[in-house]
């Protein structure tokens, strides 16, 4: 899966979960600062990433995922086969 | 109808859970119902002599009272509680029930069964007794959230009104906002903003702010509050009622023969008080705002409390209350 494909899938999750327009989802979008996500939002998002991409994201790693770019990089490194 | 039951949750599990489920299974209302019991088959099977209407799903893990809620739900994937919730997510069952770790039940409801689209934060809602009648009142949020926004409290008012009307049969339920005074400008910013939202909602029969001193007298059919306050109020009511009963008993038993005779003569009245504060008959606390009925009963529940929770769940599924929420909040 390419980085763009990962980004597109993450974007769909965020658009649905936070009622966002597609053009609002960028790699620098910060979950807490820009989306005012609280701990429940973050856990729900992490679980959806696990369901979508397979595998598990340990809590200590999840804490480091703060932006869309962080999420895409993490998934690329740890959750999907590299192309 | 299928109800997914965590048979391993609670102080008296699996015995009390299985006995309560069997009592429900044998009642006429439940002819259409299959109970799926999730838990240790070796412990559950000997408790069941007639297995009709019962399915057992053997599970190998249990979430205990000491487990950290969110982490255990995410990590103990073979736990009875998690698999019961998963069955609801997978549309194998219509509702989820547990007497286990409250935080973990809430996490199962929010993260496994999932939230209804349009509901930001599900709220935990017990039905509490009122001294003026047998209808009781609903209190939400009783502790699913540590902090809430006014919009969440508005959601609770709408969901609580729906539930009171649909499941408890209260016509045009009175909605009260729990506050530190009845005047409209009482409370912190969250409560002031919530007051306006509830007042401006034409679908709600909002009766204004209510104080904790009047809620047991039925000042509202649905008492809306933030999770922090709601939890403190719930525990204060439980603790005060328990302390009063203990105090009364102690005084009656240690105050000489005359008082004991008086107590014996008043037995019927004491029974009436006990029956009034018997909250088991209202069922468990519902996590309102999830994609299916999620019901949590007290950890110390006996088979009677489990039976009443089954009745409550049956009513919610039969009336399709959650679909009505979904349709309403999709607007």
């Amino acid at each position: 899966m390419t980085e763009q494909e990962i980004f597109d899938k993450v974007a769909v999750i965020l658009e649905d979960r936070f009622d966002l327009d597609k053009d609002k989802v960028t790699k620098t979008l910060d979950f807490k600062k820009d989306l005012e996500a609280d701990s429940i939002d973050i856990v729900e998002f992490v679980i959806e990433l696990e369901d979508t991409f397979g595998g598990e994201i340990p809590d200590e790693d999840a804490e480091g995922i703060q932006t869309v770019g962080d999420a895409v990089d993490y998934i690329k490194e740890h959750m999907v086969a590299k192309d | 109808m299928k109800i997914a039951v965590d048979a391993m949750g609670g102080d008296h599990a699996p015995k009390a859970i299985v006995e309560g489920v069997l009592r429900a299974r044998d009642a006429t209302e439940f002819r259409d119902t299959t109970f799926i019991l999730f838990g240790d088959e070796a412990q559950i099977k000997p408790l069941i002599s007639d297995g009709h209407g019962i399915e057992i799903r053997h599970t190998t893990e249990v979430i205990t009272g000491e487990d950290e809620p969110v982490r255990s739900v995410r990590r103990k994937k073979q736990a009875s509680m998690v698999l019961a919730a998963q069955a609801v997510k997978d549309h194998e069952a219509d509702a989820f029930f547990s007497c286990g770790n409250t935080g973990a039940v809430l996490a199962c409801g929010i993260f496994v069964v999932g939230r209804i689209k349009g509901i930001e934060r599900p709220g935990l809602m017990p039905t509490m007794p009122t001294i003026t009648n047998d209808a009781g009142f609903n209190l939400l949020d009783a502790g699913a959230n540590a902090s809430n926004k006014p919009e969440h409290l508005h959601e609770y008012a709408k969901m609580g009104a729906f539930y009171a009307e649909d499941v408890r049969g209260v016509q045009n339920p009175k909605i009260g906002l729990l506050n530190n005074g009845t005047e409209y400008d009482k409370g912190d910013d969250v409560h002031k903003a919530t007051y306006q939202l509830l007042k401006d909602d034409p679908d709600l029969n909002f009766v204004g702010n209510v104080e904790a001193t009047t809620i047991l007298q039925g000042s509202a059919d649905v008492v809306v509050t933030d999770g922090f306050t709601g939890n403190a109020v719930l525990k204060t009511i439980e603790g005060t009622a328990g302390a009063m009963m203990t105090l009364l008993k102690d005084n009656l038993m240690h105050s000489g023969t005359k008082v004991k005779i008086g107590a014996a003569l008043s037995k019927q009245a004491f029974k009436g008080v006990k029956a009034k504060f018997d909250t088991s008959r209202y069922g468990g606390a519902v996590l309102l705002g999830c994609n299916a009925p999620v019901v949590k009963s007290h950890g110390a529940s006996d088979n009677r409390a489990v039976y009443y929770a089954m009745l409550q769940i049956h009513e919610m599924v039969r009336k399709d209350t959650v679909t009505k929420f979904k349709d309403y909040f999709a607007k």
Side-chain angles (χ1 to χ4, degrees):
Chain A
M1 195 180 289
T2 66
E3 189 171 320
Q4 187 59 46
E5 285 168 337
I6 296 170
F7 177 87
D8 290 343
K9 283 193 174 190
V10 172
V12 169
I13 293 172
L14 290 169
E15 285 158 31
D16 183 50
R17 196 161 276 287
F18 292 95
D19 270 336
L20 291 174
D21 292 333
K22 203 170 184 176
D23 58 354
K24 289 271 187 289
V25 183
T26 64
K27 281 187 115 181
T28 55
L29 187 79
D30 187 296
F31 304 125
K32 285 184 185 163
K33 284 184 196 152
D34 300 323
L35 300 178
E36 295 181 355
D38 63 15
S39 56
I40 292 180
D41 294 317
I42 302 279
V43 176
E44 284 181 331
F45 174 62
V46 167
I47 290 172
E48 199 160 350
L49 290 181
E50 290 178 341
D51 289 346
T52 306
F53 295 99
E56 285 189 358
I57 306 175
D59 293 347
E60 45 284 14
D61 290 352
E63 282 168 21
I65 299 175
Q66 291 176 10
T67 64
V68 173
D70 294 339
V72 172
D73 291 345
Y74 186 88
I75 293 161
K76 194 173 69 178
E77 283 300 312
H78 301 275
M79 298 180 80
V80 292
K82 291 168 199 166
D83 290 327
Chain B
M1 182 187 308
K2 287 192 172 183
I3 302 176
V5 176
D6 167 19
M8 307 308 284
D11 305 343
H12 309 299
K15 192 167 182 285
I17 316 296
V18 173
E19 286 175 357
V21 164
L22 291 179
R23 184 174 163 189
R25 188 270 320 266
D26 294 336
T28 42
E29 297 95 318
F30 291 91
R31 278 186 189 146
D32 60 348
T33 308
T34 301
F35 300 89
I36 313 176
L37 301 178
F38 290 80
D40 179 6
E41 195 168 11
Q43 290 186 61
I44 297 171
K45 225 171 179 179
L47 300 168
I48 302 170
S49 52
D50 167 10
H52 87 268
I54 306 284
E55 285 175 28
I56 302 173
R57 298 283 168 83
H58 179 63
T59 61
T60 51
E61 285 183 295
V62 174
I63 292 178
T64 69
E66 286 72 42
D67 280 327
E68 197 281 318
V70 176
R71 184 168 294 135
S72 59
V73 169
R74 277 179 31 80
R75 295 297 162 244
K76 287 190 168 179
K77 297 228 192 284
Q78 297 307 311
S80 53
M81 188 193 288
V82 176
L83 288 171
Q86 188 65 40
V88 175
K89 185 185 182 184
D90 297 341
H91 304 291
E92 233 189 296
D94 303 293
F96 163 62
F97 171 76
S98 178
C99 294
N101 179 324
T102 304
V105 174
L106 299 178
C108 276
I110 295 169
F111 302 130
V112 182
V113 176
R115 284 184 289 132
I116 292 173
K117 206 169 166 54
I119 301 282
E120 275 198 53
R121 288 289 168 266
L124 189 64
M125 188 197 70
T127 303
M128 307 288 290
T130 40
I131 58 169
T132 44
N133 56 40
D134 278 335
F137 71 95
N138 290 115
L139 176 75
L140 82 165
D141 175 16
N145 301 274
S147 63
N148 285 115
K149 297 178 190 168
E151 293 74 21
H152 302 164
L153 271 66
H154 190 196
E155 289 173 358
Y156 298 153
K158 290 193 276 197
M159 289 193 294
F162 246 111
Y163 181 92
E165 193 147 359
D166 208 41
V167 181
R168 291 172 51 222
V170 181
Q171 295 296 313
N172 198 24
K174 293 181 289 179
I175 312 297
L177 175 64
L178 187 64
N179 212 329
N180 60 345
T182 54
E183 299 85 350
Y184 76 95
D185 57 350
K186 282 286 184 179
D188 59 9
D189 291 345
V190 169
H191 288 80
K192 284 178 190 167
T194 304
Y195 186 100
Q196 281 306 318
L197 287 173
L198 302 189
K199 187 173 155 279
D200 294 342
D201 187 334
D203 292 342
L204 295 175
N205 178 18
F206 181 51
V207 295
N209 289 327
V210 293
E211 290 186 281
T213 46
T214 63
I215 56 179
L216 290 179
Q217 292 161 32
S219 52
D221 300 304
V222 178
V223 173
V224 175
T225 178
D226 62 279
F228 183 88
T229 311
N231 194 263
V233 166
L234 175 70
K235 286 172 179 166
T236 305
I237 292 172
E238 284 176 350
T240 307
M244 286 301 292
M245 292 305 275
T246 306
L247 204 60
L248 200 58
K249 216 182 233 176
D250 276 358
N251 272 281
L252 291 173
M253 297 313 287
H254 300 103
S255 301
T257 312
K258 276 187 189 171
V259 173
K260 276 186 190 158
I261 292 169
L265 292 172
S266 310
K267 208 173 171 185
Q268 208 52 40
F270 291 131
K271 273 189 179 168
V273 173
K274 198 178 169 200
K276 183 60 97 176
F277 279 92
D278 168 27
T279 51
S280 304
R281 64 201 158 106
Y282 296 122
V286 187
L287 184 62
L288 278 188
C290 292
N291 280 318
V294 171
V295 175
K296 154 83 176 97
S297 283
H298 206 285
S301 291
D302 55 11
N303 68 55
R304 191 167 157 273
V306 174
Y307 166 72
Y308 280 112
M310 292 302 127
L311 278 177
Q312 172 193 27
I313 291 170
H314 188 271
E315 194 67 357
M316 283 184 79
V317 176
R318 190 178 70 81
K319 292 196 167 161
D320 215 1
T321 307
V322 171
T323 302
K324 289 174 192 164
F325 284 165
K326 286 181 185 170
D327 293 345
Y328 183 84
F329 286 98
K331 280 181 207 164

